[in-house]
CSV table of all heavy atoms in Angstrom, one decimal:
chain,number,residue,atom,x,y,z
Y,605,SER,N,-18.6,13.5,9.2
Y,605,SER,CA,-18.4,13.5,10.7
Y,605,SER,C,-17.9,12.1,11.2
Y,605,SER,O,-18.1,11.1,10.5
Y,605,SER,CB,-19.7,13.9,11.4
Y,605,SER,OG,-20.6,12.8,11.4
Y,606,ILE,N,-17.3,12.2,12.3
Y,606,ILE,CA,-16.9,11.0,13.1
Y,606,ILE,C,-17.7,11.0,14.4
Y,606,ILE,O,-17.7,12.1,15.0
Y,606,ILE,CB,-15.4,10.9,13.4
Y,606,ILE,CG1,-14.6,10.9,12.0
Y,606,ILE,CG2,-15.0,9.7,14.2
Y,606,ILE,CD1,-13.1,11.1,12.3
Y,607,ARG,N,-18.2,9.9,14.8
Y,607,ARG,CA,-18.9,9.8,16.0
Y,607,ARG,C,-18.3,8.8,16.9
Y,607,ARG,O,-17.9,7.7,16.5
Y,607,ARG,CB,-20.4,9.5,15.8
Y,607,ARG,CG,-21.2,10.7,15.2
Y,607,ARG,CD,-22.7,10.3,15.0
Y,607,ARG,NE,-23.4,11.5,14.4
Y,607,ARG,CZ,-24.2,12.2,15.1
Y,607,ARG,NH1,-24.5,11.9,16.4
Y,607,ARG,NH2,-24.8,13.3,14.5
Y,608,ILE,N,-18.2,9.1,18.2
Y,608,ILE,CA,-17.7,8.2,19.2
Y,608,ILE,C,-18.8,7.8,20.1
Y,608,ILE,O,-19.5,8.7,20.7
Y,608,ILE,CB,-16.5,8.8,20.0
Y,608,ILE,CG1,-15.4,9.3,19.1
Y,608,ILE,CG2,-16.0,7.8,21.1
Y,608,ILE,CD1,-14.3,10.1,19.8
Y,609,TRP,N,-19.1,6.5,20.3
Y,609,TRP,CA,-20.2,6.0,21.0
Y,609,TRP,C,-19.8,5.2,22.3
Y,609,TRP,O,-18.8,4.4,22.2
Y,609,TRP,CB,-21.1,5.1,20.1
Y,609,TRP,CG,-21.4,5.6,18.8
Y,609,TRP,CD1,-20.6,5.7,17.7
Y,609,TRP,CD2,-22.7,6.2,18.4
Y,609,TRP,NE1,-21.3,6.2,16.6
Y,609,TRP,CE2,-22.6,6.6,17.0
Y,609,TRP,CE3,-23.9,6.4,19.1
Y,609,TRP,CZ2,-23.6,7.2,16.3
Y,609,TRP,CZ3,-24.9,7.0,18.4
Y,609,TRP,CH2,-24.8,7.4,17.0
Y,610,ASN,N,-20.6,5.3,23.3
Y,610,ASN,CA,-20.4,4.5,24.5
Y,610,ASN,C,-21.4,3.3,24.3
Y,610,ASN,O,-22.7,3.6,24.3
Y,610,ASN,CB,-20.7,5.3,25.8
Y,610,ASN,CG,-20.7,4.4,27.0
Y,610,ASN,OD1,-20.1,3.3,27.0
Y,610,ASN,ND2,-21.4,4.8,28.0
Y,611,ILE,N,-20.9,2.1,24.2
Y,611,ILE,CA,-21.8,1.0,24.0
Y,611,ILE,C,-21.8,0.1,25.3
Y,611,ILE,O,-22.5,-1.0,25.3
Y,611,ILE,CB,-21.4,0.1,22.8
Y,611,ILE,CG1,-19.9,-0.4,23.0
Y,611,ILE,CG2,-21.6,0.9,21.5
Y,611,ILE,CD1,-19.5,-1.4,21.9
Y,612,ASN,N,-21.1,0.6,26.3
Y,612,ASN,CA,-21.2,-0.2,27.6
Y,612,ASN,C,-22.4,0.3,28.4
Y,612,ASN,O,-22.3,0.9,29.4
Y,612,ASN,CB,-19.9,0.1,28.4
Y,612,ASN,CG,-19.8,-0.8,29.6
Y,612,ASN,OD1,-20.4,-1.8,29.7
Y,612,ASN,ND2,-19.0,-0.3,30.6
Y,613,VAL,N,-23.5,-0.1,27.9
Y,613,VAL,CA,-24.8,0.3,28.5
Y,613,VAL,C,-25.7,-0.9,28.8
Y,613,VAL,O,-25.4,-2.0,28.3
Y,613,VAL,CB,-25.6,1.2,27.5
Y,613,VAL,CG1,-24.8,2.5,27.3
Y,613,VAL,CG2,-25.9,0.5,26.2
Y,614,ARG,N,-26.7,-0.7,29.7
Y,614,ARG,CA,-27.6,-1.8,30.1
Y,614,ARG,C,-28.7,-1.9,29.0
Y,614,ARG,O,-29.8,-1.5,29.3
Y,614,ARG,CB,-28.1,-1.6,31.5
Y,614,ARG,CG,-27.0,-1.6,32.5
Y,614,ARG,CD,-27.5,-1.2,33.9
Y,614,ARG,NE,-27.9,0.2,33.9
Y,614,ARG,CZ,-28.4,0.9,34.9
Y,614,ARG,NH1,-28.6,0.3,36.1
Y,614,ARG,NH2,-28.7,2.2,34.8
Y,615,TYR,N,-28.4,-2.4,27.9
Y,615,TYR,CA,-29.4,-2.4,26.8
Y,615,TYR,C,-30.6,-3.3,27.1
Y,615,TYR,O,-31.7,-3.1,26.7
Y,615,TYR,CB,-28.7,-2.9,25.5
Y,615,TYR,CG,-28.1,-4.3,25.6
Y,615,TYR,CD1,-28.9,-5.4,25.4
Y,615,TYR,CD2,-26.8,-4.4,25.8
Y,615,TYR,CE1,-28.3,-6.6,25.5
Y,615,TYR,CE2,-26.2,-5.7,25.9
Y,615,TYR,CZ,-27.0,-6.8,25.8
Y,615,TYR,OH,-26.5,-8.0,25.9
Y,616,HIS,N,-30.3,-4.3,28.0
Y,616,HIS,CA,-31.4,-5.2,28.4
Y,616,HIS,C,-32.5,-4.5,29.3
Y,616,HIS,O,-33.6,-4.9,29.5
Y,616,HIS,CB,-30.9,-6.4,29.1
Y,616,HIS,CG,-30.1,-6.1,30.3
Y,616,HIS,ND1,-28.8,-5.7,30.2
Y,616,HIS,CD2,-30.4,-6.1,31.7
Y,616,HIS,CE1,-28.2,-5.5,31.4
Y,616,HIS,NE2,-29.2,-5.7,32.3
Y,617,LEU,N,-32.1,-3.3,29.8
Y,617,LEU,CA,-33.0,-2.4,30.5
Y,617,LEU,C,-33.4,-1.2,29.6
Y,617,LEU,O,-33.9,-0.2,30.1
Y,617,LEU,CB,-32.3,-1.9,31.8
Y,617,LEU,CG,-32.0,-3.0,32.8
Y,617,LEU,CD1,-31.3,-2.3,34.0
Y,617,LEU,CD2,-33.2,-3.7,33.3
Y,618,ASP,N,-33.3,-1.4,28.3
Y,618,ASP,CA,-33.7,-0.4,27.3
Y,618,ASP,C,-32.8,0.9,27.4
Y,618,ASP,O,-33.3,2.0,27.0
Y,618,ASP,CB,-35.2,0.0,27.5
Y,618,ASP,CG,-36.1,-1.2,27.1
Y,618,ASP,OD1,-35.7,-2.0,26.3
Y,618,ASP,OD2,-37.1,-1.3,27.7
Y,619,GLU,N,-31.6,0.7,27.9
Y,619,GLU,CA,-30.7,1.9,27.9
Y,619,GLU,C,-30.0,2.0,26.5
Y,619,GLU,O,-29.4,1.0,26.1
Y,619,GLU,CB,-29.6,1.7,29.0
Y,619,GLU,CG,-28.8,3.0,29.1
Y,619,GLU,CD,-27.8,2.8,30.3
Y,619,GLU,OE1,-27.9,1.9,31.1
Y,619,GLU,OE2,-26.9,3.7,30.4
Y,620,ASP,N,-30.1,3.1,25.9
Y,620,ASP,CA,-29.6,3.2,24.5
Y,620,ASP,C,-28.1,3.6,24.6
Y,620,ASP,O,-27.6,4.2,25.5
Y,620,ASP,CB,-30.3,4.4,23.8
Y,620,ASP,CG,-31.8,4.0,23.5
Y,620,ASP,OD1,-32.0,2.8,23.3
Y,620,ASP,OD2,-32.6,4.9,23.5
Y,621,PRO,N,-27.4,3.2,23.5
Y,621,PRO,CA,-26.0,3.7,23.4
Y,621,PRO,C,-25.9,5.2,23.3
Y,621,PRO,O,-26.8,5.8,22.7
Y,621,PRO,CB,-25.5,3.0,22.1
Y,621,PRO,CG,-26.7,2.7,21.4
Y,621,PRO,CD,-27.8,2.4,22.4
Y,622,LYS,N,-24.9,5.8,23.9
Y,622,LYS,CA,-24.8,7.2,23.9
Y,622,LYS,C,-23.7,7.7,23.0
Y,622,LYS,O,-22.6,7.2,22.9
Y,622,LYS,CB,-24.4,7.7,25.4
Y,622,LYS,CG,-25.5,7.3,26.4
Y,622,LYS,CD,-25.0,7.8,27.8
Y,622,LYS,CE,-26.1,7.5,28.8
Y,622,LYS,NZ,-26.4,6.1,29.0
Y,623,CYS,N,-24.0,8.8,22.2
Y,623,CYS,CA,-23.0,9.4,21.4
Y,623,CYS,C,-22.2,10.4,22.3
Y,623,CYS,O,-22.7,11.4,22.8
Y,623,CYS,CB,-23.7,10.2,20.2
Y,623,CYS,SG,-22.5,11.0,19.2
Y,624,LEU,N,-20.9,10.1,22.5
Y,624,LEU,CA,-20.1,10.9,23.4
Y,624,LEU,C,-19.6,12.1,22.7
Y,624,LEU,O,-19.5,13.2,23.3
Y,624,LEU,CB,-18.9,10.0,23.9
Y,624,LEU,CG,-19.3,8.7,24.6
Y,624,LEU,CD1,-18.0,8.0,25.0
Y,624,LEU,CD2,-20.1,9.1,25.9
Y,625,ARG,N,-19.2,12.0,21.4
Y,625,ARG,CA,-18.7,13.2,20.7
Y,625,ARG,C,-19.0,13.1,19.2
Y,625,ARG,O,-19.0,12.0,18.7
Y,625,ARG,CB,-17.1,13.3,20.9
Y,625,ARG,CG,-16.7,14.0,22.2
Y,625,ARG,CD,-15.2,14.1,22.3
Y,625,ARG,NE,-14.6,12.8,22.4
Y,625,ARG,CZ,-14.6,12.0,23.4
Y,625,ARG,NH1,-15.2,12.4,24.6
Y,625,ARG,NH2,-13.9,10.8,23.4
Y,626,VAL,N,-19.1,14.2,18.6
Y,626,VAL,CA,-19.2,14.3,17.2
Y,626,VAL,C,-18.1,15.2,16.7
Y,626,VAL,O,-18.0,16.3,17.1
Y,626,VAL,CB,-20.6,14.9,16.7
Y,626,VAL,CG1,-20.6,15.0,15.2
Y,626,VAL,CG2,-21.8,14.1,17.2
Y,627,LEU,N,-17.2,14.6,15.9
Y,627,LEU,CA,-16.0,15.3,15.4
Y,627,LEU,C,-16.1,15.5,13.9
Y,627,LEU,O,-16.4,14.6,13.2
Y,627,LEU,CB,-14.8,14.5,15.7
Y,627,LEU,CG,-14.5,14.0,17.2
Y,627,LEU,CD1,-13.4,13.1,17.3
Y,627,LEU,CD2,-14.3,15.2,18.0
Y,628,PRO,N,-15.9,16.8,13.5
Y,628,PRO,CA,-16.0,17.0,12.0
Y,628,PRO,C,-14.7,16.4,11.4
Y,628,PRO,O,-13.6,16.5,11.9
Y,628,PRO,CB,-16.0,18.6,12.0
Y,628,PRO,CG,-15.3,19.0,13.2
Y,628,PRO,CD,-15.7,18.0,14.3
Y,629,ILE,N,-14.9,15.9,10.2
Y,629,ILE,CA,-13.8,15.3,9.4
Y,629,ILE,C,-13.0,16.5,8.9
Y,629,ILE,O,-13.5,17.4,8.2
Y,629,ILE,CB,-14.2,14.4,8.3
Y,629,ILE,CG1,-14.9,13.2,8.9
Y,629,ILE,CG2,-13.1,14.1,7.3
Y,629,ILE,CD1,-15.4,12.2,7.8
Side-chain angles (χ1 to χ4, degrees):
S605 71
I606 299 170
R607 288 177 179 253
I608 303 172
W609 310 81
N610 174 25
I611 57 171
N612 186 25
V613 297
R614 296 172 294 178
Y615 59 84
H616 55 282
L617 297 178
D618 294 329
E619 186 176 351
D620 294 327
K622 297 179 177 63
C623 180
L624 302 176
R625 277 181 298 282
V626 180
L627 305 174
I629 291 178

